[in-house]
Amino acid sequence: MVSLDILPGPTDSGRPAGHFLMLICDVSQEQAGHARCPPFLPRQRASKICVAKVPMQSLPLLIYRNYKNRDRDRGEMRKGHHMKMEDMILVSVDDHFVEPPTIFDNHTPAKFKGRFPQMIKTEEGADAWKIEDRIIRSFGLNAVVGRRPEELGMEPTALDQLRKGCYDVHARVDDMDVNGILGSLNFPSFVGMAGQNLEQMADKELATAIVRAWNDWHIDEWCGAYPERFIPCCIVPTWNPFEAAEEIRRCVAKGCHAVSFPPNPTLTGLPSLHSEYWHPLWKACAENNVVICLHISDASAAAPSEDTPIDAYITNMQVSLYVTASDLTYSHILRQFPDIRFALSEGSIGWVPHCMERMDMVRQQHGAWTRQDFGGKLPSEVFKEHVYTCFISDRTGIKLRHDIGIDNITYESDYPHADCLWPHAPEQLWKELGMIPEEEINKITHLNAMRQYSWNPFDKIKREDATVGALRARAKAKGVDVSYMAGKGGEPPSVDLGPVRMKDVREQLAFSRKKEAV
């Protein structure tokens, strides 16, 4: 006997045909042709077919269909693998930090002393960054890890409202240990997800110096403190593609193979992905095995109106990268630069099969007049060759992992944002991965990330010391505090009762209520 699927019984001439307990065994297609089975059974789609039936008044018809992925999973379940949740090795390719006030202390060129960004106290007593004449108040970008669920909507206004792991690298490693996370790729905060807050600077020479100093701090101090725990990710001066390419090469020499780049640069007035303006940057990344991380940075289109409940926005936010995925695939970039690789950061994966299927359908239906040349390949094939994906929790994506491309899927934790499952990320992940083959678990949890970002932690840490169980044991021995941070304050999502809406959050992120109160 094998595992069976439960389906309703058939009808014959409009009358119920009864219910059967179908006994299923391995037979060839030729043998199946001689089996005594109901005529409605789709033999051409099944390699395992019924060979006997027993009427059962209270049972539905049980039919086993040999779907490829399902059979693989169940075959693994029948054989059984010995891996446990504690054996996983987790590498997160999408986390964040809040830059500490000391970030530029060791990296400010003498020429620009006194002109680099500084953290200041505002009139309301909030922490903020001052860049030239601008004040950036949203320094934390939803860094609410460790708060109670009802406080996850608060926007921090001061460093002392954050868990220390947000801005202190040693405390971060402690929090990673608690969560069973071996490795982490971190994105910026106050400079913008891809340095967009520096694009507005009047002095572009100063702006470029800040980019380089930020990268030096991130690579040398943050990642350099624990090279076996952090994957470096740089930013570039997007206002000058030639300087951006040079910065890529400089950072590669320091061991960095990832760069954060805006999914839609036109939103800040820069040329689109389809412009040759970016060719120097694409060329530098392709030649140096640098992954271009397209992290969600402006998902405002995920909310149809200002009255849209924030729940809908949060639901839609990840699939906003659907637009980026198709825009990128239909661009010339993936075909003109065969060695280039992109990552859709914080985009999840469940929607990817539909996106690829839709792109192929468009190619088939409309390709005759849209004049796209994919060199004999399908758009989905080009996408798979060049684009990596990641997820926090995505049961649908795991079910469809082979459609997505098992070698392209990675894990993300999203520390310290509200979506982060800290300190229980392994428990949720195991619910989704625990029944798939061990080889595939290892690819998704760490091997794919190591390959993609040219990063090998095992030069400095033993595999047995890198597992969820080993890291948590270390955190327990150290006594890392995981209790809730209650009542830390910050800017509330709304001042009224009832569902929080987009307009409430826009006011929150503008910190307009506090400014009006002064």
Side-chain angles (χ1 to χ4, degrees):
M1 288 290 291
V2 296
S3 302
L4 306 177
D5 285 336
I6 300 176
L7 295 176
T11 58
D12 183 19
S13 303
R15 294 173 298 166
H19 299 87
F20 302 91
L21 173 62
M22 308 303 297
L23 305 179
I24 312 298
C25 66
D26 290 336
V27 293
S28 67
Q29 289 290 342
E30 181 179 359
Q31 290 171 322
H34 301 289
R36 296 181 58 195
C37 301
F40 58 84
L41 190 65
R43 295 175 181 171
Q44 70 279 6
R45 296 174 58 185
S47 62
K48 293 176 172 60
I49 215 76
C50 67
V51 294
K53 59 181 180 179
V54 180
M56 300 286 288
Q57 290 186 348
S58 59
L59 289 177
L61 176 66
L62 296 134
I63 300 175
Y64 174 78
R65 285 182 175 149
N66 184 27
Y67 292 111
K68 181 179 179 182
N69 291 348
R70 189 177 298 177
D71 191 45
R72 181 189 295 111
D73 293 352
R74 286 176 174 167
E76 183 66 26
M77 288 164 59
R78 288 193 296 272
K79 290 184 294 185
H81 61 63
H82 302 293
M83 190 176 193
K84 300 177 182 178
M85 181 193 74
E86 292 78 10
D87 299 327
M88 290 193 297
I89 296 175
L90 302 184
V91 174
S92 169
V93 299
D94 172 33
D95 292 315
H96 306 259
F97 51 60
V98 174
E99 295 89 344
T102 58
I103 178 175
F104 298 118
D105 286 1
N106 300 323
H107 306 285
T108 303
K111 178 179 180 178
F112 296 111
K113 288 289 185 182
R115 298 185 61 196
F116 257 47
Q118 293 181 326
M119 181 168 276
I120 63 170
K121 282 288 184 183
T122 67
E123 295 178 355
E124 311 90 52
D127 291 328
W129 283 93
K130 183 178 181 181
I131 303 179
E132 292 185 322
D133 295 328
R134 290 185 299 130
I135 304 297
I136 298 177
R137 297 170 182 266
S138 56
F139 70 92
L141 293 176
N142 190 232
V144 293
V145 66
R147 294 200 180 208
R148 296 183 182 279
E150 57 269 22
E151 294 183 14
L152 292 180
M154 299 291 285
E155 182 62 24
T157 58
L159 282 176
D160 61 11
Q161 297 172 357
L162 307 179
R163 189 169 174 85
K164 193 175 180 180
C166 296
Y167 57 86
D168 181 281
V169 69
H170 308 296
R172 168 60 70 89
V173 169
D174 287 343
D175 280 359
M176 291 166 64
D177 287 349
V178 166
N179 207 24
I181 303 291
L182 168 65
S184 173
L185 186 153
N186 287 257
F187 289 91
S189 289
F190 94 87
V191 296
M193 205 66 72
Q196 295 97 319
N197 286 338
L198 304 179
E199 293 175 5
Q200 305 173 39
M201 294 183 63
D203 189 335
K204 289 297 189 282
E205 183 184 6
L206 173 59
T208 299
I210 294 171
V211 166
R212 289 174 178 158
W214 190 97
N215 287 335
D216 286 343
W217 169 82
H218 173 55
I219 298 171
D220 298 341
E221 293 193 32
W222 183 271
C223 297
Y226 299 91
E228 75 280 14
R229 306 301 296 271
F230 295 104
I231 302 172
C233 180
C234 67
I235 58 175
V236 292
T238 50
W239 48 89
N240 187 322
F242 296 98
E243 290 185 352
E246 181 58 34
E247 184 63 10
I248 287 292
R249 289 186 281 267
R250 190 182 77 89
C251 290
V252 167
K254 295 163 74 73
C256 178
H257 288 273
V259 60
S260 183
F261 188 83
N264 182 2
T266 67
L267 294 176
T268 55
L270 291 170
S272 75
L273 295 177
H274 306 274
S275 171
E276 293 184 0
Y277 172 90
W278 300 110
H279 280 197
L281 176 60
W282 304 150
K283 185 173 185 292
C285 291
E287 291 177 348
N288 291 280
N289 196 27
V290 173
V291 179
I292 303 160
C293 300
L294 305 177
H295 192 290
I296 296 172
S297 55
D298 185 341
S300 55
S305 73
E306 290 295 286
D307 295 324
T308 296
I310 194 63
D311 314 66
Y313 171 80
I314 297 171
T315 299
N316 300 336
M317 188 171 62
Q318 291 180 323
V319 294
S320 66
L321 284 181
Y322 189 123
V323 177
T324 302
S326 59
D327 195 34
L328 180 63
T329 304
Y330 287 117
S331 78
H332 66 284
I333 304 170
L334 306 186
R335 286 163 276 174
Q336 187 165 341
F337 298 92
D339 295 325
I340 203 165
R341 297 294 182 270
F342 287 83
L344 301 179
S345 305
E346 203 169 324
S348 208
I349 60 175
W351 54 269
V352 172
H354 177 268
C355 181
M356 292 193 294
E357 182 178 353
R358 178 61 182 168
M359 288 191 294
D360 288 348
M361 184 273 176
V362 169
R363 173 68 177 158
Q364 174 184 331
Q365 183 71 12
H366 300 279
W369 67 269
T370 59
R371 296 190 289 274
Q372 282 275 355
D373 182 7
F374 281 91
K377 296 181 179 179
L378 292 171
S380 62
E381 294 173 321
V382 174
F383 178 88
K384 283 184 178 181
E385 290 173 357
H386 294 274
V387 182
Y388 304 137
T389 58
C390 63
F391 73 102
I392 301 173
S393 174
D394 197 323
R395 291 185 177 88
T396 298
I398 296 304
K399 291 177 182 178
L400 301 175
R401 63 194 181 278
H402 295 285
D403 296 327
I404 298 166
I406 191 68
D407 293 322
N408 293 344
I409 301 172
T410 53
Y411 175 68
E412 62 160 308
S413 166
D414 200 29
Y415 183 106
H417 293 170
D419 261 4
C420 176
L421 301 176
W422 184 92
H424 306 297
E427 281 74 13
Q428 178 60 38
L429 184 61
W430 189 249
K431 291 178 182 177
E432 302 175 26
L433 298 185
M435 300 309 292
I436 72 174
E438 184 173 338
E439 177 188 1
E440 296 181 5
I441 294 175
N442 288 332
K443 283 186 175 186
I444 292 171
T445 56
H446 65 284
L447 293 180
N448 287 345
M450 289 171 55
R451 184 192 75 254
Q452 293 166 10
Y453 295 98
S454 306
W455 179 75
N456 183 11
F458 302 124
D459 287 341
K460 294 181 172 60
I461 186 173
K462 296 178 180 178
R463 289 180 180 268
E464 57 265 31
D465 296 330
T467 65
V468 170
L471 296 174
R472 283 182 160 175
R474 189 167 75 171
K476 183 177 181 180
K478 192 172 182 179
V480 180
D481 182 15
V482 297
S483 58
Y484 280 127
M485 300 187 307
K488 283 290 185 177
E491 186 80 359
S494 67
V495 294
D496 301 317
L497 297 177
V500 178
R501 304 187 181 277
M502 277 301 298
K503 58 186 176 184
D504 299 319
V505 174
R506 291 196 195 282
E507 290 179 6
Q508 176 194 37
L509 296 181
F511 298 91
S512 55
R513 304 173 194 132
K514 284 190 178 295
K515 285 187 288 186
E516 292 170 356
V518 174

